[in-house]
Amino acid sequence: MIASPDRQSRLRGGLLGLLVGDALGVPYEFKSPEELPPSAAIDFVPPEGFPRSHRGVPTGTWSDDGAQALCLLASLLEKGRFDADDFAECLVAWYDNGYLAVDGIVFDVGMTTTRAISALKHRIPALTAGPSEDYDNGNGSLMRVLPLALWHQGSDAELVEIARDQSRVTHGHPRSQLCCALYSLWARRILQQETNPWESAAATARELLGSDAVFAAELDLCIRAGAKPGGSGTGYVLDTLHSARRAVLEPNYEQTVRFAVCLGQDTDTTACVAGGIAGLIHGEEAIPIRWRDALRGRDLLDPLLEALSSSGG
């Protein structure tokens, strides 16, 4: 019988799972499911002859997803709280100078994030910089929020508020904010070893946000969309969330992230979002050692990983 991972293994597995999933998905991004290799052939190095995406990016490299997640974690660890202005400065430093990007190289930046960073550079306040129209609901704030749930030790209400606020820096629509809050609660319930973590997270979100007409309507939309876990791997925030929910039904970490990639489209982000949850469920040791060893940027990651472990999460 395999022992259940302890809390430290889950914390480390969450962050590593996010980054490994992101790196795994990079070579396959923008492909339709029909263009992809079979699941068993999905690996850091694609099969010979496969027309990989981002050909100039070495295998094992995380993308904007992982870099922004590390920006959030670095800010939280440095400030000891969520500081929207500091986080915004980290994002600008990433965009302009490659802060916490592997080799200092930034690639594959989302359009909504680009617009938000432009607003930040024009001194728009951080919490109002994120575009907030219906068509601004990409997955750019969802992909990076997991470190908050790993680090935060306050109440559920505080976690939800901060998850929403970190979204507002680049993605201001209530739907994006809500998906980040739900994902954070879901991750917390897994850490707490709840029997039905998603259902518990949704119930908590209803309790905390149900009196707000806008968020109550968005929550109804989100829960209806996820009545049966499934998605198509697109960059739409709600689809990404529920694609990840379906992927983590697979029996282990490796099969989860491979399933996520095989959905096609936004493969790095789907595998990042699903991989973070799978890492929480199965623990660090369940992430194949060949992927952990091949993950680039460990000089950037390891100090943050150790600081997160030491913080007690």
Side-chain angles (χ1 to χ4, degrees), residues 20 67 93 152 196:
V20 168
H152 189 261
N196 297 301

Side-chain angles (χ1 to χ4, degrees), residues 55-267:
R55 294 184 185 182
V57 177
T59 55
T61 301
W62 63 71
S63 71
D64 58 326
D65 306 39
Q68 288 188 42
L70 293 182
C71 283
L72 178 58
L73 178 58
S75 180
L76 292 168
L77 291 168
E78 172 68 22
K79 295 295 183 178
R81 60 186 176 86
F82 178 69
D83 182 321
D85 293 327
D86 184 74
F87 176 50
E89 288 178 8
C90 289
L91 291 180
V92 172
W94 158 74
Y95 186 85
D96 284 349
N97 304 311
Y99 174 58
L100 294 176
V102 181
D103 299 327
I105 296 173
V106 174
F107 65 96
D108 192 28
V109 184
M111 291 185 294
T112 303
T113 297
T114 299
R115 289 166 56 209
I117 289 177
S118 176
L120 291 169
K121 290 182 177 183
H122 285 87
R123 302 198 178 281
I124 300 298
L127 291 179
T128 59
S132 57
E133 300 299 323
D134 279 348
Y135 54 79
D136 296 318
N137 277 305
N139 52 24
S141 59
L142 176 64
M143 69 191 190
R144 67 176 184 239
V145 73
L146 181 62
L148 170 63
L150 305 182
W151 167 86
H152 189 261
Q153 299 183 52
S155 68
D156 288 342
E158 292 169 344
L159 178 63
V160 165
E161 181 179 7
I162 299 171
R164 290 175 50 196
D165 282 350
Q166 72 80 34
S167 180
R168 291 168 61 192
V169 178
T170 59
H171 292 71
H173 194 280
R175 192 171 309 151
S176 290
Q177 295 182 45
L178 177 61
C179 284
C180 290
L182 273 168
Y183 184 80
S184 297
L185 288 168
W186 182 28
R188 170 169 281 185
R189 294 298 182 263
I190 291 168
L191 274 172
Q192 294 170 336
Q193 301 187 57
E194 289 270 356
T195 303
N196 297 301
W198 172 260
E199 290 77 6
S200 177
T204 300
R206 283 197 183 280
E207 178 183 343
L208 294 173
L209 299 172
S211 61
D212 183 304
V214 172
F215 280 100
E218 291 290 345
L219 188 58
D220 285 342
L221 171 66
C222 184
I223 292 175
R224 285 199 308 273
K228 183 178 180 180
S232 53
T234 70
Y236 172 43
V237 66
L238 199 52
D239 185 57
T240 301
L241 179 62
H242 292 304
S243 294
R245 285 189 60 218
R246 169 58 189 87
V248 301
L249 296 178
E250 296 299 302
N252 56 47
Y253 178 88
E254 184 169 351
Q255 289 178 252
T256 290
V257 291
R258 281 178 161 169
F259 182 96
V261 170
C262 285
L263 291 173
Q265 315 306 333
D266 199 1
T267 51

